[in-house]
Amino acid sequence: MVVLEWLRYIFGSLFILFIPGFSWSWIFFKKDKIDWIERIALSVGLSVALVPLTILWLNYVFGVKITLLNTILAVCILSALPVAYIYGVPYYRRRRGIDPKSADEETTSEDSDTLDNQD
Amino acid sequence: MSFFDNNNKVRNIFDFVQDLFAALLIVLLLLLLIETFFSGSVTSNFNFNNLLIAVMALGVLAIISGPKSHGVEARRPIGIGTAIFIGCVVLCSVLFIWHTTRGIGWISYAVSGLGGLLVSLMLVLVPYFELRLKDKSTFVKIARIVTTSYFQLSLLFTVLVLLKVNNIDIVFINYRIFACIIPLFAIPGILSLDQTNRKSSSKISLLVIAGFFFVILIRLIPYTGNDIPLGYDAGIYKYVMERYSAVLPAFPEADLPEWIRGLVPQGFPILTDTFHLIPGLSAIQLMQWFFIAMGALLVFPIFVVTRKLFGIKAGIIAVILYALSFTQYSAFTFAYFKNVLGLYFFLLAIYSLESRKYVLMALMYVGLGMFHRPEFLLFSLILVPYFFRSREVKLLYTAVLVVILLVPMWLPRIDLYVVAVGGAVGEAGVFFSFTKYQQVALAYLPFSLIGFIYMLVKKKWNSIFFAFVIIAVIIVGRILFYDRYIIPFDIIMIILAAVGISYTLLNLKGAFRVVGMVVLLLVLASSGIITIRDATQLEPLINTDQLAAIEWIEDNTEEDAFIIASSYDAPWVLGWSGRKVIAPGMFEWNEHNQQEWITFFKTNDIDGATQFLDEYEQPLYIYSSNNSESYIGIEKFNNQYFAPVYNDVAIVYRYYPGGMP
């Protein structure tokens, strides 16, 4: 039981403190733009900012209760959103007949300029 | 040929100045030696500072005047005579250092050996570099001489600081003035600095991981054999976390007392609620493990910000300096959770600002607003000059996005926040003073100034530059919460020190680099000794017996009971007893002002004491920890109105308004 408790501590903490931010860091910086140290720093920072922000907004604005299930769902959706954006947008564009080459370029080459400036 | 070489009269005067400088320097050193052996024999009759000023002024003139008229001789190997001379000087130096440091035991042998090595290095290096001045312009010659002096002074300064942190205080040296003089000698080196090495290496980045684990280890030291959280605020944090988690799945905004709404922005309790729900961590576990983890994780943003702006070498040095910083360790021992989280966001906000990732910056900025408002204010102040410099309109859009995201959290508390900012004006906040900061950061202080001078000279008007200026103005001008701003100020100073060290001490090759490395090691040793000493000697503010008395209150008193405590003990009683705590100037249940509390604590008048207590609801208890810092005169409780219901190291009295039944 103690082992299970420790596993819960470790993986539960990683789930809150790392996964959502890690997922979101790919929105701001593609694979080769930053190294693993920057990725870790951003993952933790984004997680600690985004998780409370999401839960607070859900609770304050939409009245969602802060339960275990709701929190897990919120963190899961928060982590899945960038994945959906990175893989879903090019797929959707290909399906709609938008030039896949230009769509790929837009999402893979330009350091996700959809959200930010270039250096 | 310089101007001095063309004018014989002027040249002769300057030759005389150089001779006078050398003579006075020897006199000064001899007097210092006499003072060391016969303490007070010189300083009681003579002011060293006057001689020091004269020597410095002559030194500057001697440097400006360039080499003596007979010119620079060709480089020749060190002869037997010179070797004997160097050997004698080194021997004298070793004996002198050993005599000065013999009080510290066997370490004095190591220190004196190291000192001898450094002196010999200096004696060999100085003529070596002076002889390389041939065929160079006067400016370059002067720059080289000054740079050589900079290395010597840095070495001397760091050795002296190392001695000082080992309580070998050479009283007649003003370290702060010394620290301010050294950067002046670094200016020629900075001016001639054209390009710095910014090559990246994945192997050197592993040092960041080493820094991460070192930070964890040093923060675990006070928890070896101790379960009580550190810091004064630990009880308050425990109470706030448990109060929020107790009312889940709701968010208790409307039911919160004013002091919680003003003190703890919503981001913090929501994050701890999430940790409570998913990994199942308790408030104490969060205060210990999560806080240590965040302190260690801070090495990553420090590294990425410093590397981005000043190169990988500076990044690594900044990480090591952070790991050894006494100020940052104190932020941990004071249990400033929000500060550490705020620093994380602050650094990443700077990183995203410098990377021009404005959405990312907005999220970090919101993080500051949700967790730590003083650093939110600081970053806002940095953005103002940054905007005027860059004229980047996207910064305005970012600010609008931040406001939109923070509105649901800030709007219900905006009145409190405005009052809090007004109340913070002129207030110090609870942290050590700037004077103490200059002592604990003395080892890297000159190099931080050098880093600042570098940015000034090279016109690097980045966010670190603005941060340094703004926080320095807040602290020196004592504008608001100025002692608490020492924590982010130290982070900026660490980054600047890393810049100063890497650009001026480690940017040259050969023997200079060796000296630079030695100086760096001495800086790290001086910083580390203070911090590790503090880590090994640190104890929680209350002991297990006092905590046991508070836990007794939780188990044996009514749930609606009120507990009277001193402000020193109040956070602990609040956090661990789960009862309403009445204390001077704290929490929502207090009805008296500071003077009335002082009178109550000191008085032995029973009527006065009972009259004071009658203003509060029953059941009412009094907790006295018997700590030297929390004096409560207990003589007034030895009568029929008070029953000692717990009596050990700490005492708990029950108050009966009509006398004991």
Side-chain angles (χ1 to χ4, degrees):
Chain A
M1 286 304 284
V2 177
V3 176
L4 279 178
E5 206 169 291
W6 273 97
L7 287 175
R8 186 186 168 194
Y9 291 158
I10 293 165
F11 289 106
S13 300
L14 278 177
F15 182 62
I16 301 167
L17 205 61
F18 190 77
I19 305 291
F22 180 73
S23 181
W24 274 82
S25 70
W26 294 90
I27 290 279
F28 299 106
F29 296 98
K30 289 301 244 183
K31 192 180 178 184
D32 299 327
K33 289 290 174 182
I34 53 171
D35 65 3
W36 59 272
I37 295 180
E38 282 163 305
R39 188 78 65 193
I40 291 175
L42 286 170
S43 301
V44 175
L46 279 165
S47 297
V48 178
L50 283 170
V51 169
L53 186 69
T54 309
I55 295 171
L56 265 168
W57 262 77
L58 289 172
N59 181 266
Y60 268 39
V61 183
F62 304 106
V64 176
K65 289 184 176 177
I66 307 169
T67 61
L68 176 62
L69 182 67
N70 289 347
T71 311
I72 289 175
L73 278 174
V75 177
C76 284
I77 293 167
L78 192 65
S79 309
L81 278 175
V83 181
Y85 177 79
I86 291 166
Y87 292 103
V89 171
Y91 176 75
Y92 173 78
R93 289 189 173 182
R94 272 197 296 271
R95 287 289 299 259
R96 298 280 297 188
I98 303 168
D99 181 13
K101 196 181 171 187
S102 64
D104 278 350
E105 277 173 2
E106 206 169 305
T107 51
T108 57
S109 66
E110 283 295 315
D111 190 16
S112 291
D113 282 334
T114 43
L115 286 176
D116 275 306
N117 256 2
Q118 270 295 86
D119 286 349
Chain B
M1 294 291 280
S2 71
F3 164 78
F4 305 118
D5 297 328
N6 294 331
N7 191 323
N8 279 335
K9 282 183 182 174
V10 177
R11 182 66 260 172
N12 288 338
I13 292 168
F14 278 106
D15 283 353
F16 172 71
V17 166
Q18 287 180 352
D19 291 338
L20 190 64
F21 167 65
L24 276 181
L25 189 64
I26 291 166
V27 170
L28 178 72
L29 291 171
L30 280 172
L31 288 174
L32 286 176
L33 191 67
I34 294 165
E35 177 68 22
T36 309
F37 283 97
F38 309 102
S39 185
S41 57
V42 180
T43 46
S44 57
N45 304 308
F46 178 72
N47 188 347
F48 263 112
N49 290 332
N50 295 334
L51 185 58
L52 193 63
I53 290 166
V55 170
M56 278 166 52
L58 286 172
V60 171
L61 282 174
I63 288 165
I64 292 169
S65 62
K68 291 187 86 170
S69 53
H70 48 73
V72 178
E73 292 172 18
R75 186 181 171 187
R76 61 170 183 263
I78 295 169
I80 296 172
T82 314
I84 292 170
F85 170 74
I86 291 175
C88 290
V89 173
V90 170
L91 189 65
C92 288
S93 306
V94 169
L95 285 173
F96 168 69
I97 298 169
W98 172 79
H99 180 84
T100 317
T101 61
R102 67 189 190 283
I104 58 171
W106 64 270
I107 302 171
S108 65
Y109 295 106
V111 172
S112 50
L114 183 70
L117 190 71
L118 296 176
V119 170
S120 60
L121 204 63
M122 280 162 64
L123 286 168
V124 174
L125 278 180
V126 173
Y128 172 75
F129 283 107
E130 281 187 351
L131 286 168
R132 288 174 59 136
L133 296 176
K134 280 201 302 180
D135 304 327
K136 302 279 183 185
S137 70
T138 308
F139 174 77
V140 174
K141 286 176 188 174
I142 292 168
R144 279 194 177 270
I145 294 167
V146 176
T147 303
T148 311
S149 305
Y150 164 63
F151 274 76
Q152 292 168 12
L153 283 172
S154 299
L155 202 55
L156 184 64
F157 176 77
T158 46
V159 169
L160 288 173
V161 172
L162 187 65
L163 293 174
K164 186 179 163 64
V165 298
N166 283 299
N167 299 323
I168 305 154
D169 204 355
I170 300 174
V171 287
F172 39 83
I173 286 178
N174 189 325
Y175 288 87
R176 273 181 272 177
I177 292 174
F178 200 165
C180 293
I181 287 169
I182 290 173
L184 302 177
F185 286 81
I187 292 173
I190 292 170
L191 286 170
S192 59
L193 197 69
D194 43 2
Q195 209 168 0
T196 53
N197 181 19
R198 287 185 177 227
K199 281 180 189 169
S200 181
S201 160
S202 58
K203 282 180 187 170
I204 207 164
S205 301
L206 290 174
L207 285 170
V208 182
I209 299 293
F212 171 80
F213 284 111
F214 182 80
V215 174
I216 289 183
L217 284 176
I218 200 169
R219 277 158 177 71
L220 281 176
I221 292 173
Y223 285 116
T224 46
N226 162 49
D227 289 331
I228 304 170
L230 302 172
Y232 175 74
D233 288 350
I236 292 176
Y237 279 115
K238 184 175 182 287
Y239 177 78
V240 171
M241 287 186 230
E242 288 176 350
R243 182 159 182 158
Y244 272 88
S245 62
V247 296
L248 283 173
F251 193 75
E253 182 67 26
D255 305 327
L256 288 173
E258 207 168 86
W259 68 268
I260 292 184
R261 299 200 309 138
L263 192 71
V264 188
Q266 294 95 325
F268 183 77
I270 278 289
L271 184 70
T272 57
D273 271 355
T274 317
F275 273 103
H276 176 70
L277 285 168
I278 298 175
L281 291 170
S282 68
I284 292 179
Q285 283 171 324
L286 278 167
M287 279 190 283
Q288 291 173 337
W289 294 105
F290 176 61
F291 188 36
I292 289 174
M294 283 312 295
L297 284 166
L298 202 57
V299 301
F300 294 111
I302 289 172
F303 177 73
V304 298
V305 168
T306 316
R307 183 179 63 176
K308 178 158 191 67
L309 294 171
F310 306 108
I312 193 162
K313 211 189 296 171
I316 293 291
I317 296 168
V319 164
I320 302 170
L321 281 175
Y322 165 74
L324 295 169
S325 162
F326 178 82
T327 308
Q328 299 308 317
Y329 194 74
S330 297
F332 162 72
T333 58
F334 276 62
Y336 288 160
F337 303 146
K338 291 183 293 164
N339 260 91
V340 174
L341 286 164
L343 282 178
Y344 204 101
F345 289 124
F346 179 69
L347 288 166
L348 283 186
I350 285 178
Y351 172 79
S352 41
L353 178 65
E354 296 295 341
S355 306
R356 299 187 184 186
K357 297 282 180 192
Y358 296 113
V359 177
L360 180 63
M361 192 196 88
L363 291 173
M364 296 303 116
Y365 202 4
V366 169
L368 282 173
M370 284 196 306
F371 283 92
H372 199 236
R373 284 165 292 134
E375 272 150 19
F376 177 87
L377 176 69
L378 177 62
F379 191 68
S380 307
L381 292 173
I382 290 169
L383 283 181
V384 175
Y386 197 92
F387 172 74
F388 284 110
R389 196 212 67 172
S390 67
R391 307 272 173 170
E392 182 59 78
V393 184
K394 285 190 175 179
L395 282 173
L396 294 177
Y397 300 147
T398 308
V400 173
L401 178 64
V402 171
V403 170
I404 292 168
L405 289 171
L406 282 177
V407 156
M409 285 152 261
W410 277 37
L411 208 56
R413 299 182 176 188
I414 195 72
D415 53 333
L416 289 172
Y417 289 177
V418 171
V419 171
V421 173
V425 174
E427 289 295 317
V430 182
F431 201 61
F432 56 65
S433 68
F434 188 54
T435 309
K436 183 173 178 185
Y437 175 70
Q438 290 172 70
Q439 289 165 6
V440 297
L442 190 63
Y444 52 85
L445 198 64
F447 306 105
S448 303
L449 296 175
I450 290 167
F452 179 69
I453 291 171
Y454 165 78
M455 291 204 293
L456 208 64
V457 169
K458 297 289 177 183
K459 295 178 180 169
K460 300 223 177 260
W461 317 121
N462 57 30
S463 36
I464 294 291
F465 176 84
F466 293 130
F468 177 86
V469 174
I470 290 166
I471 312 177
V473 168
I474 290 173
I475 294 172
V476 177
R478 299 181 163 227
I479 294 173
L480 81 163
F481 241 41
Y482 48 86
D483 281 350
R484 284 293 278 273
Y485 273 112
I486 285 172
I487 300 166
F489 186 65
D490 182 59
I491 290 284
I492 302 296
M493 292 288 276
I494 283 170
I495 293 173
L496 291 179
V499 175
I501 291 170
S502 70
Y503 284 13
T504 60
L505 289 174
L506 305 179
N507 210 36
L508 298 171
K509 288 180 182 170
F512 269 132
R513 194 182 176 83
V514 175
V515 178
M517 284 300 291
V518 172
V519 171
L520 173 62
L521 290 174
L522 289 169
V523 169
L524 297 178
S526 302
S527 300
I529 285 170
I530 309 172
T531 310
I532 292 168
R533 193 186 289 148
D534 187 56
T536 50
Q537 292 172 353
L538 194 77
E539 286 181 359
L541 294 178
I542 62 167
N543 59 39
T544 46
D545 294 326
Q546 290 160 338
L547 196 64
I550 299 172
E551 286 168 340
W552 180 91
I553 293 173
E554 186 187 19
D555 297 334
N556 297 283
T557 61
E558 301 85 345
E559 278 193 12
D560 60 344
F562 289 84
I563 317 291
I564 298 248
S566 68
S567 40
Y568 182 88
D569 296 320
W572 301 97
V573 182
L574 182 79
W576 269 263
S577 75
R579 303 292 179 265
K580 296 163 194 164
V581 177
I582 303 164
M586 299 173 85
F587 318 132
E588 68 268 37
W589 305 288
N590 171 34
E591 302 284 348
H592 289 95
N593 62 33
Q594 202 69 20
Q595 190 51 49
E596 289 168 331
W597 274 104
I598 292 168
T599 311
F600 169 70
F601 283 152
K602 285 185 177 173
T603 187
N604 281 326
D605 173 32
I606 299 163
D607 291 338
T610 53
Q611 208 174 348
F612 179 93
L613 297 173
D614 284 340
E615 291 188 33
Y616 296 101
E617 289 178 40
Q618 295 293 321
L620 187 59
Y621 293 82
I622 297 131
Y623 170 81
S624 172
S625 65
N626 281 322
N627 256 327
S628 54
E629 289 88 352
S630 62
Y631 173 76
I632 299 179
I634 56 170
E635 292 79 14
K636 57 181 165 283
F637 302 135
N638 296 326
N639 54 66
Q640 73 274 22
Y641 298 108
F642 300 93
V645 287
Y646 182 94
N647 198 345
D648 200 338
V649 173
I651 309 171
V652 181
Y653 293 96
R654 165 89 194 250
Y655 173 55
Y656 294 98
M660 274 189 279

